[in-house]
Amino acid sequence: MAEAERIIGTPDTPDAAGNGQERPGEAAPGERADAEGAPAPAGESGTDAAAAGASGTDRPEATPGRPRGKRRIAVLFAVALFAYALDLSSKLIVVAKLEHHPPIEIIGDWLKFEAIRNAGAAFGFGEAFTVIFTMIAAAVIVVIARLARKLYSLPWAIALGLLLGGALGNLTDRIFRAPGVFEGAVVDFIAPKHFAVFNLADSAIVCGGILIVLLSFKGLDPDGTVHKD
């Protein structure tokens, strides 16, 4: 038997045969390494794309033209309160110290302090329309108060504050001074030469209006955005 086995030879086992041959469908060790290091084709990494899309949607998109900064409501009412207090205190002093007295010369004949009662609009215009001017002043105050919610611009806050303070100053005279409610005469005392007599409330209204015109020409809106026509 030993001699026969020597002549015929010991047959190879399946495991031994498989060690030297490549199995069908199995890549060589070098090819497997290349396949593992190669990037995945486009369209096969669906989970990665979905994750990237989800992370992109979590980021808030910037809105073009959105107002920046904080609201300027405090500045608006601070300027209005300052203008109103200055106007009211000046009128109280004029009525107490200057009314029924000779004018006080400030710069010779060019500028005087002279107390008068004005039933019309600013600078003495339209004395026959006292009630109408009172309603206009009240409407201006309401409009400015509503606009304050969208106020982000500091220059606009100052301009509207001047308007609001001046309107409140003259409206106070219209309501509480003689001859009656909504028909009261406004106290004026600043009397330049060859010009109408006015008060500090009129000055605040005019300065606020001029500032609004300049801001509009520059393209600055009350919400802080800038537009170019």
Side-chain angles (χ1 to χ4, degrees):
M1 289 293 294
E3 185 66 17
E5 290 178 359
R6 186 182 63 79
I7 297 172
I8 297 173
T10 303
D12 296 333
T13 60
D15 295 335
N19 291 334
Q21 298 179 356
E22 296 179 3
R23 296 180 182 178
E26 183 175 355
E31 296 176 356
R32 285 200 302 269
D34 295 339
E36 291 175 358
E44 291 186 1
S45 56
T47 56
D48 296 339
S55 61
T57 55
D58 292 339
R59 298 177 182 176
E61 296 180 357
T63 304
R66 184 179 180 181
R68 298 179 179 179
K70 59 183 180 180
R71 293 179 180 176
R72 303 295 183 176
I73 299 178
V75 177
L76 167 68
F77 288 111
V79 173
L81 181 61
F82 175 77
Y84 177 73
L86 196 62
D87 176 72
L88 183 60
S89 59
S90 65
K91 289 174 179 177
L92 292 176
I93 295 173
V94 166
V95 171
K97 302 295 184 180
L98 191 58
E99 198 169 29
H100 308 302
H101 289 80
I104 299 177
E105 294 185 354
I106 304 301
I107 307 177
D109 292 336
W110 292 98
L111 180 63
K112 298 179 181 180
F113 283 170
E114 180 180 3
I116 66 168
R117 298 292 181 115
N118 174 24
F123 306 108
F125 297 108
E127 295 185 0
F129 303 98
T130 305
V131 177
I132 296 177
F133 292 135
T134 303
M135 296 175 63
I136 293 174
V140 169
I141 294 172
V142 173
V143 170
I144 294 175
R146 291 177 61 88
L147 186 61
R149 297 177 301 172
K150 302 178 180 180
L151 189 60
Y152 289 85
S153 170
L154 180 60
W156 270 95
I158 296 174
L160 293 177
L162 291 172
L163 280 180
L164 181 60
L168 283 172
N170 285 339
L171 184 61
T172 301
D173 285 355
R174 304 288 186 194
I175 295 175
F176 295 104
R177 295 194 186 277
V181 178
F182 299 125
E183 296 181 353
V186 175
V187 176
D188 290 337
F189 62 94
I190 303 175
K193 188 176 182 180
H194 305 305
F195 196 75
V197 183
F198 58 94
N199 55 39
L200 295 181
D202 298 334
S203 301
I205 293 173
V206 172
C207 292
I210 293 174
L211 184 55
I212 288 175
V213 172
L214 295 176
L215 294 174
S216 299
F217 274 117
K218 292 182 64 176
L220 180 62
D221 292 335
D223 61 358
T225 58
V226 180
H227 67 274
K228 296 182 179 180
D229 297 333

